[in-house]
């Protein structure tokens, strides 16, 4: 049972890392400064960052040790979430980008959340 759970966890982390890479590409194409770095070829960890403008930065880290979402403005931490809450916040960001109008920027929409 534990080996199966460990393998499922590895697959989950790998899927999350691939989705972070795709999100970074979409954000860059929409004019945001975004990056997603991974360590090694096994896709077992990633550091995702996006600047939403005006010193508003999102950092999302995923590894075997955990998942964190950190939102900062003017170099001050506004919010830090872990686990499922961090993933939910990442989904919120993805939805904002997905449904963003040409004149609307997610920095204003995310700040209202």
């Amino acid at each position: 049972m534990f080996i199966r759970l460990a393998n499922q966890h590895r697959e989950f982390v790998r899927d999350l890392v691939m989705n972070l890479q795709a999100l970074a590409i979409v954000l860059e194409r929409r004019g945001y400064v975004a990056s997603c770095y991974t360590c090694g070829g096994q896709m077992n960890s990633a550091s995702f960052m996006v600047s939403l403008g005006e010193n508003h930065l999102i950092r999302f880290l995923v590894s075997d040790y955990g998942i964190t979402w950190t939102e900062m403005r003017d170099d001050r931490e506004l919010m830090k979430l872990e686990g499922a809450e961090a993933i939910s916040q990442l989904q919120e960001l993805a939805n904002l980008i997905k449904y963003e109008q040409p004149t609307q920027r997610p920095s204003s929409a995310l700040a209202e959340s």
Side-chain angles (χ1 to χ4, degrees), residues 100-106 108:
E100 146 181 84
Q101 299 299 318
T103 58
Q104 178 186 354
R105 295 291 290 202
S108 62

Side-chain angles (χ1 to χ4, degrees), residues 12-84:
F12 166 76
V13 169
R14 188 172 44 248
D15 287 348
L16 186 53
V17 169
M18 286 189 303
N19 281 293
L20 288 170
Q21 290 175 323
L23 182 58
I25 291 168
V26 169
L27 287 165
E28 285 181 328
R29 288 182 180 164
R30 297 230 178 156
Y32 295 90
V33 177
S35 64
C36 183
Y37 297 100
T38 60
C39 297
Q42 296 181 3
M43 308 273 286
N44 59 2
S45 65
S47 172
F48 168 86
M49 294 180 80
V50 60
S51 173
L52 299 177
E54 298 184 38
N55 297 319
H56 190 184
L57 182 70
I58 304 296
R59 181 177 62 214
F60 189 89
L61 302 172
V62 60
S63 73
D64 282 339
Y65 301 109
I67 297 167
T68 59
W69 162 284
T70 307
E71 187 170 350
M72 296 172 288
R73 189 179 290 268
D74 298 321
D75 294 327
R76 299 174 83 190
E77 189 175 294
L78 298 176
M79 178 171 44
K80 186 169 189 170
L81 302 171
E82 296 180 347

